[in-house]
Amino acid sequence: MERLKHKARIALVSYPSLGDSLMYLLMAENLRLNGFSVTLFSSVVWQLRSWLPQVSVFPSPDAENLEATLSSFDLVILHPSQSVCGALDLGKAAQKWLLLSQTEKASVQKD
C-alpha cells in the first residue's frame, strides 16, 4: 500500500471561487503530506503560488485543453466552472474522473 500511495498522481481541479479554491488547497496539502503526488489546478491559488512553494499549482485548464491536461493523472477530482461544465460531455467525464458539480446538468448516473 505504501509503495502504491507514493506513485499515485492526483489532480485537483477547483471551482473558480475563493472559498472552493481554499478547500482544494487544504485537500492538496493534506494529500501531499500523506505521500501523494498532487497537482492543484486553480486560477485563484495560482495567484498565491509564491506563498505556497510546496504545492504544485497551475491555472485552471480551459475546456479545450482539459482532456490533454488531465490524461496523465491516476485520479482526477474535478469541480468544473460553468463554462467548462457546459462544454463537457458529462457522461464521459464522469466515467473517467470524480466529477463534482453544482449544476443540474452534472447529475450523471454511472452504470
Side-chain angles (χ1 to χ4, degrees):
M1 180 70 164
E2 189 72 20
R3 190 171 145 242
L4 291 175
K5 183 169 71 168
H6 288 283
K7 288 188 174 187
R9 295 190 66 229
I10 301 172
L12 301 175
V13 184
S14 175
Y15 190 80
S17 69
L18 179 60
D20 286 295
S21 294
L22 292 177
M23 287 189 302
Y24 273 74
L25 176 59
L26 290 172
M27 271 195 296
E29 181 63 2
N30 189 332
L31 289 165
R32 185 190 71 79
L33 289 172
N34 282 282
F36 293 95
S37 174
V38 181
T39 301
L40 174 60
F41 293 92
S42 168
S43 294
V44 173
V45 178
W46 173 251
Q47 297 173 48
L48 307 172
R49 69 191 178 279
S50 64
W51 294 352
L52 308 161
Q54 76 280 14
V55 180
S56 177
V57 181
F58 292 91
S60 301
D62 56 21
E64 294 80 31
N65 298 314
L66 193 65
E67 180 75 34
T69 302
L70 302 177
S71 65
S72 67
F73 291 94
D74 301 309
L75 173 65
V76 174
I77 300 174
L78 173 69
H79 189 173
S81 65
Q82 290 178 347
S83 61
V84 170
C85 196
L88 282 178
D89 178 333
L90 295 174
K92 288 181 182 177
Q95 296 298 317
K96 294 184 281 191
W97 308 318
L98 177 57
L99 184 62
L100 308 175
S101 182
Q102 299 171 352
T103 66
E104 288 181 34
K105 183 180 176 187
S107 299
V108 177
Q109 296 291 326
K110 287 188 174 183
D111 294 333

